[in-house]
Amino acid sequence: MERRTIVLTGVTSGFGRESAKLLMRARPQDHYVVLARDAGKRLVAELTETAGATGVTGVECDLASLAEIRRAAEEILRGLDSGSLPPLGGYLGNAGLTLATMGERTTDAYEMTFGVNVLSHYLLVRELLPRFTGPGWIVLTSSDCHFGQFRYTLGATPAPRWESPERLAAPRTGGASEAGRAYATSKLGVIYLTHALVRRLPAGVGVFSYNPALVAGTDFFRHSPKLLRGMLKGFFQLQRILGRGMTAQQAGARLAETILTGPNAPTGSYLDRGRDVPSSAESYDEAREEELWREAARLVAPDRRAGRADTLTG
């Protein structure tokens, strides 16, 4: 099989790390570029040793900083252009966060959840887009909380509330409920990005949004207060016992299997643990999809960032 470069985010822990190890074991000939805030030699050595991959490169990148995202993308592009990296064939956008309160900002003065969960993946994929070659794939992790229905969240997460990207990117105040809503809204945004990408991808490259369902035993809530973190972990464990969730190992295996076998679905599909199912009715809105793509370009523009930061901190 042809050797490819696979770019990975959100794989330093949890089910993302499990999926990365399985990908590397199944295709050790590929070159894996791992983007993380702490992507030093230790991480590379651990992944290389445990997965048996022949090529793993760690690229330092804080996804809450657009400047770092651009620098990381430029590093990857230099490797592709020089031939030190094989052709680009895959991107796993698994990085994401949820917060206990609203108001936290990215380096560029944007609301943290929207900035990391939506804008970071938009910018990374957009910068790398011209180098993708078929057969290739892009998988962006979403969540069934974007449905906003009790049967998917059991009331743990409020329904999404879509607004203009400009408003969603603006820092605001609020407690745990609004922070949960921001997370659900960002995952709706991921599906909009997926649909917008369908109309922009090179031939032979597919894009999919992926729902891992409830995953117990991860450090996803590491930013939450200790008491809330313990309650949420207990809730997730209960859902796993009830058959509504999976362990990190199970979720990672399902994601890796979906990628390795190739999604048996049209590009743009929403994959619920690998199964092609309809996403929410609200998630099919071409006007919102194109607005998000267009406005995201403005939000990540260097002159726009500088002006906005001055305004918000002045």
Side-chain angles (χ1 to χ4, degrees), residues 132-218:
F132 273 95
T133 59
W137 52 269
I138 296 172
V139 172
L140 303 176
T141 300
S142 184
S143 168
D144 53 12
C145 70
H146 87 275
F147 283 93
Q149 298 175 8
F150 183 83
R151 67 191 181 103
Y152 293 105
T153 66
L154 302 182
T157 305
R161 181 188 296 141
W162 190 257
E163 302 177 80
S164 70
E166 177 82 18
R167 288 183 60 83
L168 291 173
R172 62 192 72 186
T173 59
S177 178
E178 283 306 305
R181 189 183 304 280
Y183 176 74
T185 303
S186 75
K187 293 307 182 179
L188 177 60
V190 166
I191 299 177
Y192 288 149
L193 279 185
T194 301
H195 294 166
L197 274 166
V198 170
R199 297 184 282 273
R200 293 167 170 83
L201 285 175
V205 180
V207 60
F208 308 90
S209 54
Y210 186 88
N211 170 42
L214 291 169
V215 182
T218 72

Side-chain angles (χ1 to χ4, degrees), residues 98-132:
T98 184
L99 302 172
T101 60
M102 298 292 290
E104 290 197 38
R105 302 180 181 185
T106 67
T107 302
D108 305 278
Y110 292 132
E111 192 278 315
M112 182 70 79
T113 307
F114 186 79
V116 172
N117 295 5
V118 180
L119 291 181
S120 71
H121 293 299
Y122 163 81
L123 182 55
L124 268 171
V125 172
R126 193 196 69 179
E127 295 297 294
L128 298 176
L129 200 56
R131 300 301 198 281
F132 273 95

Side-chain angles (χ1 to χ4, degrees), residues 223-251:
H223 298 289
S224 302
K226 186 175 181 180
L227 178 59
L228 177 60
R229 194 162 63 239
M231 292 172 61
L232 289 168
K233 286 186 176 181
F235 171 79
F236 271 44
Q237 292 285 6
L238 175 61
Q239 301 318 305
R240 183 178 65 81
I241 294 170
L242 295 174
R244 296 169 178 157
M246 292 186 287
T247 65
Q249 291 74 22
Q250 291 170 329

